[in-house]
Amino acid sequence: MTLQWTVVAIFLYVEIAVILILCLPFISAKRWRSLFNLSIWNWFAPYWNRGFFTMILILIILFCDALREVRKYSNAEPMGEAKLNPNLFDHLHMKLFRAQRNLYISGFSLFLWLVMRRVVTLINHVAVATVTGTSLQTQAESANQAAKKYQEDNLLLKQALLDEEKNTTAGKRLLRKEAEKLMEELKTAEDAVRKSNAEVEAMKRQANGLTKEYDRLLTKHNELQNLQAGAGDKKEQ
């Protein structure tokens, strides 16, 4: 195996190992994302896309070269000539085997390189979705707690309004009873005032009658005194 195909084979084994490590079930996507966000990767970030497409181009070139070699050693003309010479036949079979091996190595390397890029992208998406889901779940829980709190506050407010309405109704009834009581007392007071006025009028009439009687008696008394005085004057004469 030449040096370039040895490097491609090593690259293939590294790809397989990396993909197997990325697919380990006990390492979560969030942990992989935290590893991908390390500051050391910032050094390679500007060159990552260039390196990725450069590697794809190299693997495509090697794949095409291996495919050309396979077609070259699979033609019927070289195989027909090789049948006449057993050593040449074995040599061509060896060349064909190496070309097919190189074709498989380059093809699988290209395929796994694309798969590894896709796996890394999917891991980032899963990690972002997990973080988003966690934040949404936290927001939903906080929203549920707020809704429960608002519901409890609403129930307390309704209860307070019912209590206030009951207190208002009881207060209105009490005020109505007090108003009725005051009306009754007012009526009683009015009746008492009327009765007092009637008694005052009766006392005034009685006083007027007594005054007239007193004046009449006083007049009679004066007349009697005058008659007595006149009778005394006659006796003295």
Side-chain angles (χ1 to χ4, degrees):
M1 183 180 291
T2 60
L3 179 62
Q4 62 180 6
W5 291 112
T6 303
V7 173
V8 174
I10 294 173
F11 183 73
L12 175 62
Y13 298 147
V14 171
E15 284 179 329
I16 294 172
V18 171
I19 291 175
L20 290 176
I21 293 172
L22 289 174
C23 294
L24 291 176
F26 54 84
I27 301 178
S28 63
K30 292 175 64 177
R31 186 169 297 178
W32 279 120
R33 189 168 184 267
S34 63
L35 291 175
F36 294 153
N37 290 331
L38 292 175
S39 59
I40 190 173
W41 299 110
N42 294 329
W43 295 90
F44 303 100
Y47 311 103
W48 169 246
N49 287 328
R50 294 180 182 177
F52 176 76
F53 290 111
T54 302
M55 197 66 196
I56 288 178
L57 183 61
I58 293 173
L59 291 175
I60 289 175
I61 292 172
L62 292 175
F63 181 80
C64 293
D65 182 65
L67 184 61
R68 182 184 60 82
E69 292 290 328
V70 169
R71 288 181 177 179
K72 176 182 177 181
Y73 295 111
S74 296
N75 290 332
E77 183 177 353
M79 294 301 293
E81 295 178 357
K83 288 181 180 179
L84 300 177
N85 189 352
N87 293 328
L88 181 61
F89 184 78
D90 294 336
H91 180 71
L92 288 176
H93 267 284
M94 182 182 64
K95 290 285 187 181
L96 179 62
F97 171 76
R98 289 179 180 177
Q100 290 175 347
R101 180 198 61 192
N102 296 335
L103 180 67
Y104 295 149
I105 291 174
S106 59
F108 278 110
S109 297
L110 178 61
F111 174 73
L112 292 180
W113 183 245
L114 297 173
V115 169
M116 186 171 64
R117 172 67 179 267
R118 187 60 178 170
V119 167
V120 172
T121 304
L122 290 176
I123 286 174
N124 284 326
H125 288 333
V126 170
V128 172
T130 303
V131 173
T132 305
T134 304
S135 62
L136 290 176
Q137 185 177 1
T138 304
Q139 292 178 1
E141 290 177 357
S142 61
N144 289 331
Q145 292 178 358
K148 289 180 180 179
K149 184 178 179 181
Y150 292 151
Q151 188 176 4
E152 292 176 357
D153 293 339
N154 191 14
L155 292 175
L156 292 175
L157 182 59
K158 287 182 179 180
Q159 188 64 34
L161 290 175
L162 291 174
D163 294 338
E164 185 177 358
E165 186 177 358
K166 289 180 181 179
N167 294 330
T168 304
T169 305
K172 287 181 179 179
R173 291 178 181 176
L174 182 61
L175 289 174
R176 190 177 298 169
K177 289 181 180 180
E178 290 181 355
E180 291 176 355
K181 184 177 180 181
L182 289 174
M183 290 295 292
E184 291 178 357
E185 291 179 355
L186 182 59
K187 288 180 181 180
T188 304
E190 288 179 354
D191 294 337
V193 170
R194 289 175 184 175
K195 186 176 180 181
S196 298
N197 290 331
E199 290 178 355
V200 168
E201 291 293 333
M203 291 179 68
K204 284 182 178 179
R205 293 191 192 99
Q206 187 177 2
N208 289 330
L210 291 174
T211 302
K212 290 179 181 179
E213 185 67 21
Y214 176 75
D215 292 338
R216 187 177 65 79
L217 292 174
L218 183 61
T219 303
K220 287 183 178 182
H221 179 69
N222 290 330
E223 290 178 355
L224 289 174
Q225 285 184 350
N226 291 330
L227 289 175
Q228 287 177 0
D233 291 339
K234 287 179 180 183
K235 285 181 181 180
E236 287 177 359
Q237 291 177 359

